[in-house]
Structures are given as structure tokens and as C-alpha cells.
Amino acid sequence: MTHTSTGRPAPRADARGALVPVLAFTGIVVAVMQTLLVPVVKDLPQLLGTEPGNATWVITSTLLSGAVTTPIAGRLGDLYGKRRMLVLSLAVMVVGALVSALTSDLLPMIAGRTLQGFAMSAIPLGIGLMRDLLPREKLGSAMALMSSSMGVGGSLALPAAALVAQHTDWHALFYGAAGLGVLCIALTLLVVPESPTRAQGTFDVLGAIGLSCGLVLLLLPITKGGDWGWTSGTTLGLFAAAAVVLVLWGLMELRLTAPLVDLRSAAYPAVLFTNLASIMVGFSFLVVSLVLPQLLQLPESTGYGLGQSMVVAGVLVAPLGLTMMVTAPLHARLSAKFGPKGTLILGMLIIAIGYVAGLGLMSAPWQSLVVTVILGPGIGLAYSSLPALIVGAVPASETGAAGGLNTLMRSIGASVSSAVIGMVLANTANDVNGVAVPTLHGFRVSFLIATGAMAIGLLTALFLPGARAPGDAVRARHDPRTQPNAHHAPGPR
């Protein structure tokens, strides 16, 4: 693949100064979509007049659509413009938020939530824009902040959404999301120029359909297996169908000159092991978000619950996101000294330490605060290292698609985490007046599983190539800008 120019000039210095905050703010806003309804999730069956099993689709639909659309939007961004696709994904999110705001019926609510998931592609598209528009000396810290925005938005949404849900009609959550989406669109159009970098080729429609079908078949049983039964015919049948579809899709992609996902590039060690580590990081991040809010809100009468309100629980978990944001500038310095591989390993070590410490810090609200303050910097360093490793391993014309695939890996990790931790908490719960109440043992087992995930992630990270040279070598081999007589758009670097 080669680059062509859009004919746009390099961004002005003043625009470049605002570009990173605008894109990072956009990343935080779209990440909010995943945890927007967590404070009211237990009330959804009553609010929507449906069964609990049906109400969970309001959460599942957003995760599924986000996972499916992210790699597709990344490829479209490489071909037709990353800013264009960023604005389009935000517009779809706004429409989805308004649909959800105007209904209390299950099916329209699921449709609106599905459209909201489209916005998750904004994060890899934003990282791609940063690579194309920023000078190299600012790129590391900018990508770190953008990558961390996924966790920052998810954490900060909990207290904000809890406060809104506790004092107003719950539909106000969606009106607020729509307003934030419109603000992001306006800021993007005002501040963010279009990338001058393009990939050549056509959009692989059949590949997009195949990948979408395969991911839906894979993620459905992962997210719903606990309800359906892990050994049920439906669950096993969907897993088998997913395997068949994804294998056939992969064989088809290898035969195409302009595939949706370049599987040969994805097989490079720097890309492959980064994506495998991303699954473990995505898995571990969600565990603390699933465990601590429940522990904090359980009544003290259980003997281990901490008896806090929904808002207070959200406030105590919020430092997870705040410390991730603060870690972004630190990541740039550490990465410059030790390389992104080194910072990824350091981040995962800190995450493992945080979960081990958390096993003994479950008896007071302030202890939950300590756990989040330990985990936040670790998750921030790990999240920030992932796009740096991907960007260093693929040519600029594939940044959107490669970043989308990496974001997909994190989403798969989060989906698996939700299924596994949900199963653990359900199987270790006590029955209190017909209600399943999670136990302290279940919470601790969940933290042990998160620690094990980090151990696997650390082992995977050790197989990554050296910090700089291998990634540069891959980029140089594929990037026409490193070749004689290459023609590409003038950049700001």
C-alpha cells in the first residue's frame, strides 16, 4: 500500500496545540458509552418492563457493535480519511443516544445502544490522526493520553452517571451523551485537520461482512454463555460457527491484495504479541470495575459489604481513571528511556501488584481507594504502551486498521473478563431471600484471576522484539516514505 496526498496543508501550530486535548476528550466521551448504564443496570428490567436476561442486551449490544465496527472504521479511515470517519462515528453515536433517550421500550433501547457502540472506533482513529499530524517528539505522550482515554472515560463515567441517575430521570444520561457527542463533532471540525495520509486500494466489503459475522458469533456466547449455559447447544454451536467463519475469513483475506486486515502484518511478532498482551490488559482492567463497586455498595449486614451509596462508590473508583490520565506524560519519559516494551512490562507488573495487594484490602472504603490508586498508573502505562508498539510496527497507511484491530483485542479481553468474573461471582454467591449476593470469596477469586491474566500478559510481552529497531525495520520495509522516489504528502514533522 502507498500514500497519496489529500492536498491539505500541515496543521497550524495553534491547531496542533489543541488537537491532542480535543482528540483525548473525544476518546473519554466515547468510552463513557460502555459504562453509562452501569449505575442503573440492576434496575433495567423494571425500567424497561422486561426480564433480567433480556435487559442485559442493553449492555451487550454496545460492546458487540463497538467490537465489530472498530476495525472496519479503521480501514475506512485509512482509505477515505480518518477525521471523516471520526466525525461519522460520533454522529452515529449521537443518533443512538437520542433514540435511547426517547424510549423506555426494550427493542428501541437496544437499537440505540447498538448505534452508540459505533463511537468506539474514535480511539484508534484518533491515534492514527496523531501519528499523521504530530511531530515525532510529541507523538509518544499524545498517543499515551489517547489510549488511556478508554479507561479514563469508563472510570469517570461511574460517579457522574450515578449522580445523574440518582437525582434525575435516567433518560438524562442519554441526552447528556448526545450533547457531549455534538460538542466533540464541533471541536473536531474546528480543530482537527484531515490526515494527508491515504492507503491505496478499495474497501473489502466481503471481508467486513465476514469479520462482522465471525465476531458476533464469537462474542455472543462469550457475553451470554453464563445465561445460556457454557455447555448448552447454543453456546457450543455459536463457538463452532465462529471458528469456521473466522478461519474462512482469514483464508480469504490472505488471498486479497487490499484486505480489510493485513493478516501478514498482524503476524509480525511486534504486532502479534502486542495484540495478545492487549487481551490480557483489557481483561484485567474490567475486573476492578466489576468487583469494587459491588463490594462498596453491598450492605454492612452481609458482614463484608461496605455499605456505601451508588455515588460514593463511583467516587471511590474514579481515581482509577484520574491516575491513568496523570500517567500519560510519565509514560513518554519512561518509553523514551526503556522503550514501549519496557513500559508495558512495568505497567503489567504494577497491575499484578495492585491485585495482589487488593486481596487484603477489602475491609474499608478507604482501602478500595488505595487499590484504585495502585492499579491506575499500571493500567495507564500498559494502555499507553500498546499503540506505541503497534504504530512502530506498521506503515502509516495501515495505522487505522492496525489500531482498530488492537482496540478489538482489548474489547475481546474485556468481554471475556465480564463473562468469567460474572460466572465466578454467580457460582460463589449466597442466596439471600431469593437474591444472589456476591461473596467476599468470589471477589478475592476474581482478583486472583486478574493476577493470573497479568502473569500471562507478562510472559507474552517477553516475546516482543526489542524496544525500537524491530518496529522501525518493519515500518521502513513497508513505508514508501523510506523508499527512493516516494511521493507523499508534506507533513508537519
Side-chain angles (χ1 to χ4, degrees):
M1 294 182 184
T2 60
H3 302 79
T4 60
S5 172
T6 62
R8 281 186 175 269
R12 302 185 312 274
D14 58 335
R16 271 207 305 243
L19 184 146
V20 174
V22 166
L23 290 176
F25 175 69
T26 300
I28 290 172
V29 168
V30 301
V32 166
M33 295 303 104
Q34 290 189 320
T35 53
L36 185 67
L37 292 182
V38 167
V40 297
V41 67
K42 66 180 184 301
D43 301 319
L44 282 177
Q46 179 182 355
L47 294 171
L48 296 173
T50 187
E51 298 296 322
N54 295 330
T56 59
W57 284 104
V58 175
I59 306 295
T60 303
S61 60
T62 307
L63 296 174
L64 282 175
S65 63
V68 169
T69 58
T70 294
I72 295 173
R75 174 59 178 162
L76 287 170
D78 287 338
L79 287 169
Y80 305 116
K82 299 180 180 73
R83 187 183 79 151
R84 181 178 298 171
M85 288 307 304
L86 173 59
V87 170
L88 179 60
S89 67
L90 289 170
V92 174
M93 182 197 84
V94 170
V95 172
L98 291 175
V99 169
S100 295
L102 296 171
T103 186
S104 294
D105 296 325
L106 179 64
L107 292 181
M109 181 63 67
I110 292 174
R113 291 288 291 161
T114 299
L115 294 176
Q116 289 164 52
F118 279 54
M120 286 310 299
S121 58
I123 293 174
L125 288 169
I127 291 172
L129 282 164
M130 288 175 175
R131 174 179 178 165
D132 296 342
L133 297 171
L134 292 177
R136 294 186 186 278
E137 63 270 15
K138 295 184 178 181
L139 185 57
S141 59
M143 288 196 307
L145 184 60
M146 189 69 192
S147 182
S148 297
S149 66
M150 182 181 290
V152 173
S155 298
L156 297 183
L158 292 175
L163 190 63
V164 171
Q166 189 165 297
H167 295 286
T168 67
D169 181 79
W170 68 292
H171 291 93
L173 294 170
F174 298 113
Y175 284 115
L180 289 171
V182 171
L183 177 60
C184 288
I185 291 173
L187 290 173
T188 300
L189 292 174
L190 182 66
V191 171
V192 181
E194 183 58 275
S195 167
T197 303
R198 291 287 192 278
Q200 285 188 339
T202 57
F203 181 68
D204 177 16
V205 176
L206 190 58
I209 295 173
L211 179 62
S212 300
C213 292
L215 289 176
V216 169
L217 290 170
L218 174 65
L219 293 174
L220 267 180
I222 288 177
T223 54
K224 301 294 292 181
D227 297 330
W228 295 340
W230 291 104
T231 59
S232 69
T234 300
T235 301
L236 296 178
L238 287 173
F239 275 132
V244 171
V245 170
L246 290 175
V247 167
L248 292 175
W249 170 80
L251 293 174
M252 181 186 69
E253 292 292 284
L254 290 172
R255 297 171 62 90
L256 298 177
T257 56
L260 177 71
V261 177
D262 189 342
L263 294 179
R264 291 184 175 84
S265 293
Y268 292 139
V271 179
L272 175 62
F273 289 111
T274 298
N275 284 334
L276 292 176
S278 297
I279 296 174
M280 296 297 106
V281 174
F283 184 104
S284 67
F285 167 67
L286 200 64
V287 173
V288 65
S289 302
L290 293 171
V291 167
L292 287 187
Q294 294 192 69
L295 174 65
L296 286 163
Q297 292 182 73
L298 281 175
E300 294 179 352
S301 59
T302 59
Y304 52 88
L306 302 180
Q308 304 300 305
S309 69
M310 180 168 50
V311 174
V312 172
V315 169
L316 289 172
V317 176
L320 185 71
L322 294 173
T323 51
M324 288 175 65
M325 186 183 297
V326 172
T327 304
L330 176 62
H331 169 269
R333 298 180 184 178
L334 292 173
S335 184
K337 185 173 183 180
F338 302 110
K341 174 183 176 179
T343 54
L344 174 61
I345 290 174
L346 176 61
M348 288 194 289
L349 280 172
I350 295 174
I351 295 172
I353 291 170
Y355 277 118
V356 170
L359 292 172
L361 294 174
M362 292 187 176
S363 57
W366 66 266
Q367 293 179 353
S368 296
L369 188 64
V370 171
V371 173
T372 60
V373 169
I374 296 174
L375 288 173
I379 297 171
L381 286 175
Y383 265 26
S384 299
S385 302
L386 299 172
L389 287 163
I390 292 294
V391 165
V394 300
S397 60
E398 297 178 19
T399 303
L405 183 62
N406 184 254
T407 302
L408 169 62
M409 294 300 107
R410 280 188 267 180
S411 297
I412 289 175
S415 298
V416 174
S417 176
S418 176
V420 171
I421 301 306
M423 180 177 63
V424 168
L425 295 180
N427 289 342
T428 57
N430 289 328
D431 186 275
V432 179
N433 297 324
V435 177
V437 177
T439 62
L440 187 62
H441 174 65
F443 293 143
R444 285 177 170 154
V445 170
S446 299
F447 272 26
L448 282 173
I449 292 173
T451 306
M454 280 301 89
I456 297 172
L458 283 166
L459 181 63
T460 301
L462 294 177
F463 288 94
L464 282 166
R468 297 179 180 85
D472 292 340
V474 171
R475 180 164 53 193
R477 185 164 65 248
H478 288 268
D479 197 332
R481 290 178 294 184
T482 65
Q483 306 301 324
N485 304 317
H487 298 282
H488 56 275
R493 295 189 177 99

